[in-house]
Amino acid sequence: MTAQLERSLVIIKPDGYRRGLTGEVLRRIEAKGYTIAKLQVTEATRDQLDAHYAEHEGKPFYEPLVEFMSSGPIVVAVIEGNDCIKGFRSLAGATNPTEAAPGSIRGDLGRDWGLKVQQNIVHGSDSTESAEREIAIWF
């Protein structure tokens, strides 16, 4: 089985940006061997967030998530590399920083926010279809 060259969207969320972790997250992405193809600091619009999180609309955590994601600057990046979608999700660690393995971004840098697991430093696309859709929203 050969590795597949992929593209993925990575977002450094407002908590990661606010805590000055952008450089560390990008360093880890590059150290893993992935290329940063596009990069920008931006503030998310409601339209972008509604499109990005469309599958979660109507769920109890939706509005708090959108509110959090619009609470400050974010960094959006397109990364490229062999199997980078699966690889970055492993590098990011479990969604809940308390459960994330040491060595992962969330395991090393995340904080226990109680029920606010959306404050977990990073987002990474979960499939090639999601990556294509998400990249089109942000770039």
Short mmCIF file of all heavy atoms in Angstrom, two decimals, residues 5 17 25 30 38 41 47 54 76 123 134:
data_model
loop_
_atom_site.label_atom_id
_atom_site.label_comp_id
_atom_site.label_asym_id
_atom_site.label_seq_id
_atom_site.Cartn_x
_atom_site.Cartn_y
_atom_site.Cartn_z
N LEU A 5 -0.72 11.40 -1.50
CA LEU A 5 -0.49 12.83 -1.31
C LEU A 5 -1.85 13.50 -1.13
O LEU A 5 -2.74 13.34 -1.95
CB LEU A 5 0.25 13.42 -2.50
CG LEU A 5 0.67 14.88 -2.34
CD1 LEU A 5 1.65 15.04 -1.18
CD2 LEU A 5 1.31 15.38 -3.62
N TYR A 17 -4.37 30.60 19.26
CA TYR A 17 -3.80 31.87 18.81
C TYR A 17 -3.57 32.79 20.01
O TYR A 17 -2.49 33.39 20.15
CB TYR A 17 -4.73 32.53 17.79
CG TYR A 17 -4.16 33.79 17.21
CD1 TYR A 17 -3.31 33.75 16.12
CD2 TYR A 17 -4.48 35.03 17.75
CE1 TYR A 17 -2.77 34.91 15.57
CE2 TYR A 17 -3.94 36.20 17.21
CZ TYR A 17 -3.10 36.13 16.12
OH TYR A 17 -2.56 37.28 15.60
N VAL A 25 2.51 24.99 16.87
CA VAL A 25 1.67 24.10 16.06
C VAL A 25 2.25 23.97 14.66
O VAL A 25 2.38 22.86 14.12
CB VAL A 25 0.20 24.59 16.03
CG1 VAL A 25 -0.61 23.79 15.01
CG2 VAL A 25 -0.43 24.49 17.42
N GLU A 30 5.40 20.99 10.35
CA GLU A 30 6.56 20.88 9.48
C GLU A 30 7.50 19.77 9.94
O GLU A 30 8.07 19.05 9.11
CB GLU A 30 7.30 22.22 9.39
CG GLU A 30 6.49 23.25 8.62
CD GLU A 30 7.22 24.57 8.46
OE1 GLU A 30 7.90 25.01 9.42
OE2 GLU A 30 7.10 25.16 7.37
N LYS A 38 -0.64 27.05 2.20
CA LYS A 38 -1.32 28.34 2.34
C LYS A 38 -1.45 28.62 3.82
O LYS A 38 -1.63 27.70 4.62
CB LYS A 38 -2.72 28.31 1.70
CG LYS A 38 -2.70 28.11 0.21
CD LYS A 38 -4.11 28.16 -0.36
CE LYS A 38 -4.05 27.96 -1.87
NZ LYS A 38 -5.37 28.13 -2.48
N VAL A 41 -3.81 34.57 8.85
CA VAL A 41 -4.47 34.93 10.10
C VAL A 41 -5.72 35.69 9.69
O VAL A 41 -5.66 36.59 8.85
CB VAL A 41 -3.58 35.82 10.99
CG1 VAL A 41 -4.34 36.24 12.25
CG2 VAL A 41 -2.29 35.10 11.34
N ASP A 47 -20.90 33.56 8.28
CA ASP A 47 -21.15 32.74 7.09
C ASP A 47 -20.12 31.63 6.94
O ASP A 47 -20.47 30.49 6.62
CB ASP A 47 -21.16 33.61 5.82
CG ASP A 47 -22.40 34.48 5.71
OD1 ASP A 47 -23.40 34.22 6.43
OD2 ASP A 47 -22.39 35.42 4.88
N ALA A 54 -21.69 23.19 9.23
CA ALA A 54 -23.07 22.95 8.80
C ALA A 54 -23.65 21.63 9.34
O ALA A 54 -24.83 21.57 9.71
CB ALA A 54 -23.16 22.97 7.27
N VAL A 76 -5.66 29.91 9.62
CA VAL A 76 -6.09 28.83 8.74
C VAL A 76 -4.94 28.49 7.81
O VAL A 76 -4.22 29.36 7.33
CB VAL A 76 -7.37 29.19 7.93
CG1 VAL A 76 -8.58 29.24 8.85
CG2 VAL A 76 -7.23 30.50 7.20
N HIS A 123 -8.14 22.43 14.70
CA HIS A 123 -9.08 21.63 13.91
C HIS A 123 -8.30 21.08 12.73
O HIS A 123 -7.45 21.77 12.17
CB HIS A 123 -10.22 22.51 13.39
CG HIS A 123 -10.95 21.88 12.23
ND1 HIS A 123 -11.97 20.98 12.42
CD2 HIS A 123 -10.77 21.98 10.89
CE1 HIS A 123 -12.39 20.56 11.22
NE2 HIS A 123 -11.69 21.16 10.28
N GLU A 134 -13.82 22.31 3.11
CA GLU A 134 -13.33 23.29 4.08
C GLU A 134 -12.32 24.25 3.46
O GLU A 134 -12.37 25.46 3.74
CB GLU A 134 -12.71 22.57 5.27
CG GLU A 134 -13.72 21.82 6.11
CD GLU A 134 -13.12 20.93 7.19
OE1 GLU A 134 -11.87 20.82 7.28
OE2 GLU A 134 -13.90 20.36 7.95
#
